[in-house]
Amino acid sequence: MSGNSFTQERDIVAALQLRGRDQEDLFARARQARDAALGPRAEVRSVIEYANLCDQDCRYCGMGASSPVTRYVLKNGSLRRHLDHVHGLGRRVIMVQTGEHDHDAYFDNLFGVLAAAAAAYPDVVFIFALGNLGDDKYARLRALGPHRYLLKFETSDPALYRTLKPRDTLANRLAHIARLKALGFQVSSGNITGLPGQDLASVARDLLLLAELQLPMGSTSPYIPNDLSPLASAPPADLDLVLNCMAVLRLMRPAMLIPTTSALEILRPGGQRLGLLAGANTITVHDGASDEHEGEFVIYRKDRFIPRTSLLEVAAAAGLTCSAHPLIGGPAADGS
């Protein structure tokens, strides 16, 4: 496991088990690799949760088609106000997130607001986190400019994927990722660590797949049991395992944008700071979230941790300079 590269499953499995001084050494190497590639900077993103409609029925999620969660869609005027608000705060990376709902009228409404916002704010890089869509819809989004698309593959194990996501297949998900890359999106993907039925070898293969995809952005987020999902009684992910995944991923892909997710804070108070210390360099701030629908966008659980602005101080405490502009791609990627 010498050097900064992990190419073998057995070496990754060994690294995922590190604790104590060896783990601290792993984190230090990850930070060094991050800072050498992109500088000691953290990209700060705002997120807007447009709708929780979903046609998938993932067994770990509280928004699946079978969930009793109250459904909502932001009105067009409300979505634009949220976009204007976060732009006014100086944010230049904005993620618009929804459930997977590939219906024409729904998409047309969303696309109309996004197109108007993209024209009004050419200095913004949008991250579209809308799930599997048709090729025509991808093409329309791509025509808006050099924006990003987030589509996680969740697990590299085809059988586990089908068990957890019965309305989809891993092959189909990866085909969507390939189409997004071919269209020229800056694509982000990643796994969920700690899923029921997953072992360390499976996690290692997740990281190998993510590195193999050669994406500019990637993530490894922890499994958090959701009280509205069929897997509500499953145990949560182990924080140390997730942090080790982040550090290994950083060493595999030094220039990748890797988020420290709010779910880490559920596992342990201060978890997001630990993510930065393990090599992460992206922070999502929920200053575009709708108070009216709080508790209804339940990918994780209703009492989720929602960071708004305090994380900027956390990043500074971790030795990172916060950037409201994109660290890669976009019109201001060379600025901070």
Side-chain angles (χ1 to χ4, degrees):
M1 291 187 296
S2 61
N4 282 348
S5 179
F6 289 91
T7 59
Q8 301 296 319
E9 179 183 314
R10 63 178 180 274
D11 291 337
I12 297 174
V13 169
L16 296 181
Q17 299 177 78
L18 296 177
R19 301 293 186 269
R21 179 63 63 84
D22 291 336
Q23 184 185 47
E24 289 301 319
D25 290 344
L26 176 69
F27 294 168
R29 290 169 53 205
R31 293 194 298 272
Q32 182 180 27
R34 174 197 64 199
D35 295 352
L38 291 172
R41 299 188 294 167
E43 180 181 282
V44 181
R45 308 166 173 175
S46 287
V47 62
I48 297 173
E49 295 162 346
Y50 173 67
N52 66 356
L53 305 180
C54 195
D55 299 327
Q56 295 277 11
D57 210 9
C58 304
R59 291 174 54 79
Y60 51 79
C61 180
M63 295 186 343
S66 300
S67 171
V69 68
T70 301
R71 303 294 174 174
Y72 78 91
V73 180
L74 290 182
K75 295 179 180 178
N76 289 356
S78 179
L79 173 57
R80 182 55 191 264
R81 284 193 296 274
H82 285 305
L83 290 168
D84 293 343
H85 170 67
V86 295
H87 186 269
L89 293 175
R91 210 75 70 218
R92 296 299 180 262
V93 183
I94 302 174
M95 182 163 69
V96 179
Q97 190 171 16
T98 74
E100 298 199 23
H101 191 64
D102 187 13
H103 293 215
D104 290 343
Y106 165 88
F107 179 83
D108 289 345
N109 284 335
L110 173 59
F111 179 81
V113 179
L114 291 174
Y121 303 132
D123 56 345
V124 166
V125 168
F126 287 99
I127 306 172
F128 307 122
L130 314 179
N132 294 346
L133 296 176
D135 289 352
D136 60 327
K137 295 179 175 65
Y138 289 146
R140 290 172 67 186
L141 290 169
R142 181 64 185 88
L144 298 181
H147 299 295
R148 303 173 178 175
Y149 204 102
L150 168 61
L151 192 67
K152 298 181 72 170
F153 60 76
E154 320 291 21
T155 173
S156 61
D157 183 326
L160 181 59
Y161 188 102
R162 195 57 185 263
T163 297
L164 298 172
K165 297 173 69 73
R167 298 189 181 185
D168 199 4
T169 66
L170 177 62
N172 181 59
R173 194 71 157 189
L174 294 177
H176 278 270
I177 292 171
R179 289 199 288 274
L180 290 164
K181 288 180 63 178
L183 282 168
F185 282 101
Q186 299 173 52
V187 182
S188 177
S189 192
N191 77 327
I192 300 175
T193 295
L195 286 165
Q198 188 184 62
D199 58 20
L200 289 180
S202 179
V203 174
R205 290 190 291 271
D206 292 348
L207 297 177
L208 287 168
L209 173 59
L210 185 51
E212 179 186 331
L213 289 172
Q214 295 288 305
L215 304 176
M217 297 168 287
S219 66
T220 176
S221 57
Y223 172 71
I224 303 293
N226 190 306
D227 55 3
L228 296 178
S229 78
L231 294 175
S233 62
D238 175 72
L239 178 61
D240 285 311
L241 172 60
V242 179
L243 294 173
N244 287 4
C245 282
M246 296 169 68
V248 169
L249 180 59
R250 171 62 62 201
L251 292 167
M252 297 171 80
R253 299 282 292 161
M256 180 176 269
L257 292 188
I258 301 174
T260 181
T261 69
S262 58
L264 296 175
E265 206 72 26
I266 297 174
L267 296 178
R268 185 186 305 168
Q272 286 199 286
R273 177 177 174 273
L274 295 177
L276 295 172
L277 295 176
N281 61 346
T282 303
I283 297 171
T284 299
V285 181
H286 287 247
D287 48 10
S290 172
D291 292 336
E292 179 185 359
H293 299 291
E294 193 165 307
E296 294 173 0
F297 199 87
V298 283
I299 293 177
Y300 297 118
R301 65 187 197 189
K302 283 191 173 184
D303 59 339
R304 61 181 179 154
F305 175 79
I306 301 181
R308 298 197 185 273
T309 59
S310 61
L311 281 180
L312 308 187
E313 299 172 4
V314 170
L320 299 176
T321 299
C322 291
S323 173
H325 295 282
L327 293 188
I328 61 170
D334 58 348
S336 61

